[in-house]
Amino acid sequence: MSTYSLDQRTAHWTELKLQFNSIFEAAPTLYRAPGRVNLIGEHTDYNDGFVMPAAIDLSCCVAIAPRKDRQLVVHSVNFNETIEFSLNDGKMETTDHWSDYIRGVAWALEHAGHKLRGAEIAILSNIPIGAGLSSSAGIEVATAYALLEISGLQVERTELAKLCQKAENDYVGARCGIMDQFIACHAQAGHAIMLDCRSLNYRTLPLKSDVCLLISNTMVDHHLAGGEYNVRRAECEEGVRRLASVLPGIESLRDVSMAELDRHRDRLTDVLYRRCRHVVTENLRVTEATAALQRDDLNCFGHLMADSHRSLRDDYEVSCFELDVMVEIAVKQEGVYGSRMTGGGFGGCTISLVKEESIAHLQHAIAEAYEEKTGRRPEIYVCSAAEGVGIAKC
Ligand code: GLA
């Protein structure tokens, strides 16, 4: 179990600086980008829908110093490995390696016309990898931001998010939506955001200071399900194709109402109908959850989280035994408003909204019951909503 404190944050940065200095000679500047947790609105971003993420105080830190040439020399402290390449290489080959994220953002930035300087870089992330907390967006956004800063270039934050998403879609090869990169760029401390993934307009939503984000890691690696994510996307696209023959003008599931979906159910297989129903109802839940948060109705918010989890489990089929167990345990505890799986699914983490005063008791109760039922020891992170990418001040 862990609570991430300010002391640990500074220790993290100090460790990174030490590592940088042991390899390179120049004095570095430090930048950080956060991981994220999604409160509600899952698998809706790539359907032009609504999401409600918050950044968390686990982050990826990049120490960087410019070079005179166009070489990037990058050391990963997590993997204890250094790679080197030239920015003049143009489109580079993916290697199915952590460095693809670095090569990918360098490629996407250059491709968009941002001429970068070479640099020496060390990277240290404490966002757990493969846990659905967006360690990949963390490394992309922190690196892209750092590269732009040392090159004296300014890119607006939404554009930065889009370029990092492009790196992941077109270079790394994961067809993710915009949510993770967007929140890593735009997050505000103490707030979640409600993002319209079609217009990219968003609203900041203050979270009450006595409410905590309790993130429970099932310790089931969700990486293994990368293919299933792309299958779900393809199913949504197929649903839209079939519905468009009777609902001309629809571009995505965002444009379909529940009444329309039911009226044209015969156009879809049972599986496609359920996939579409998840997306259509999840969008409605995000809208209702926004209103609930605005009137401080956390009990209502909690019910919507429960409905979201059920829909992801039964209609979208992206949950797993361990996620279901974790949620079942959490919702039975005193002090929990609501709980659901968060992120892509098939493992990874759950998010529970909880009363601050119950934290100590909850951590123990959830961890013990989960281990007893699954034989796995969970990690539990108590997070507050953090700020988006920026310089790491230490
Ligand atoms: C992953 C993707 C996001 C989003 C979620 C599911 O985290 O990176 O774009 O699709 O899954 O909501």
Side-chain angles (χ1 to χ4, degrees):
M1 281 179 288
S2 59
T3 311
Y4 193 56
S5 67
L6 268 179
D7 287 353
Q8 280 167 299
R9 177 190 281 212
T10 312
H12 180 63
W13 293 343
T14 309
E15 165 71 10
L16 176 60
K17 251 190 187 167
L18 283 173
Q19 293 273 348
F20 186 97
N21 292 334
S22 70
I23 306 172
F24 306 115
E25 280 176 6
T29 309
L30 267 59
Y31 298 93
R32 46 154 291 288
R36 67 97 189 88
V37 69
N38 190 18
L39 302 187
I40 195 159
E42 218 65 81
H43 289 276
T44 43
D45 61 351
Y46 53 82
N47 288 299
D48 281 349
F50 303 114
V51 292
M52 195 191 288
I56 54 176
D57 35 16
L58 296 169
S59 56
C60 176
C61 285
V62 166
I64 190 166
R67 287 170 62 106
K68 291 205 169 66
D69 57 13
R70 295 247 301 154
Q71 288 295 113
L72 285 187
V73 185
V74 189
H75 179 76
S76 162
V77 179
N78 297 84
F79 294 99
N80 191 23
E81 195 182 358
T82 307
I83 58 121
E84 178 168 353
F85 63 95
S86 166
L87 288 164
N88 297 327
D89 284 352
K91 167 97 173 134
M92 297 159 285
E93 289 308 307
T94 50
T95 48
D96 208 8
H97 189 253
W98 61 267
S99 61
D100 285 352
Y101 295 105
I102 317 296
R103 295 174 194 274
V105 289
W107 168 78
L109 292 172
E110 288 265 325
H111 194 70
H114 304 296
K115 183 113 171 132
L116 302 172
R117 291 179 72 172
E120 286 160 349
I121 298 176
I123 301 178
L124 175 60
S125 176
N126 64 0
I127 310 168
I129 294 170
L133 299 177
S134 213
S135 58
S136 45
I139 192 171
E140 288 156 7
V141 172
T143 308
Y145 190 89
L147 285 171
L148 289 166
E149 286 279 306
I150 60 128
S151 305
L153 299 168
Q154 296 227 314
V155 170
E156 191 273 319
R157 282 176 183 247
T158 297
E159 186 54 26
L160 179 63
K162 284 188 190 165
L163 288 171
C164 290
Q165 184 199 15
K166 186 177 170 62
E168 185 143 354
N169 287 172
D170 298 348
Y171 194 94
V172 179
R175 296 187 66 206
C176 67
I178 189 70
M179 169 169 71
D180 305 347
Q181 293 80 7
F182 195 94
I183 188 71
C185 289
H186 281 286
Q188 284 181 25
H191 293 72
I193 68 167
M194 196 279 212
L195 170 66
D196 175 340
C197 297
R198 169 172 277 166
S199 65
L200 297 185
N201 289 332
Y202 68 99
R203 197 181 303 174
T204 52
L205 300 166
L207 296 171
K208 282 171 67 175
S209 57
D210 57 353
V211 175
C212 285
L213 308 175
L214 190 81
I215 299 172
S216 307
N217 189 344
T218 60
M219 307 307 275
V220 176
D221 188 341
H222 87 142
H223 263 141
L224 304 172
E228 283 295 319
Y229 183 90
N230 289 347
V231 169
R232 293 299 178 283
R233 281 200 71 148
E235 286 169 340
C236 291
E237 285 159 10
E238 176 62 15
V240 172
R241 245 190 313 277
R242 292 184 184 208
L243 290 168
S245 63
V246 279
L247 297 170
I250 63 163
E251 279 172 17
S252 65
L253 290 175
R254 160 73 177 275
D255 302 317
V256 180
S257 70
M258 223 20 246
E260 287 168 331
L261 185 61
D262 278 340
R263 200 175 318 129
H264 302 297
R265 186 174 182 158
D266 59 338
R267 302 268 152 182
L268 305 169
T269 61
D270 175 56
V271 169
L272 285 182
Y273 172 73
R274 286 186 293 111
R275 302 295 189 253
C276 295
R277 180 166 65 184
H278 165 71
V279 175
V280 173
T281 57
E282 186 76 351
N283 278 330
L284 294 171
R285 281 186 286 272
V286 180
T287 309
E288 284 179 45
T290 304
L293 209 53
Q294 283 171 329
R295 59 172 195 272
D296 270 349
D297 188 348
L298 293 175
N299 290 320
C300 173
F301 197 99
H303 287 303
L304 292 163
M305 289 174 88
D307 291 344
S308 168
H309 185 80
R310 266 192 294 275
S311 179
L312 287 157
R313 184 190 64 196
D314 301 337
D315 276 358
Y316 219 62
E317 296 181 280
V318 290
S319 188
C320 64
F321 169 72
E322 290 83 356
L323 283 168
D324 295 343
V325 167
M326 193 73 94
V327 166
E328 268 164 41
I329 293 169
V331 293
K332 283 192 199 127
Q333 311 293 324
E334 190 69 33
V336 175
Y337 292 110
S339 185
R340 56 181 286 279
M341 56 155 276
T342 187
F346 303 105
C349 294
T350 64
I351 167 72
S352 307
L353 268 199
V354 308
K355 290 185 183 147
E356 192 183 26
E357 67 204 31
S358 311
I359 282 290
H361 138 83
L362 279 173
Q363 281 182 298
H364 288 286
I366 293 175
E368 225 167 76
Y370 178 78
E371 190 170 351
E372 198 183 299
K373 288 217 165 136
T374 64
R376 291 174 191 264
R377 179 163 298 178
E379 282 186 5
I380 299 192
Y381 322 106
V382 180
C383 290
S384 47
E387 69 276 33
V389 64
I391 199 157
K393 298 182 201 98
C394 48

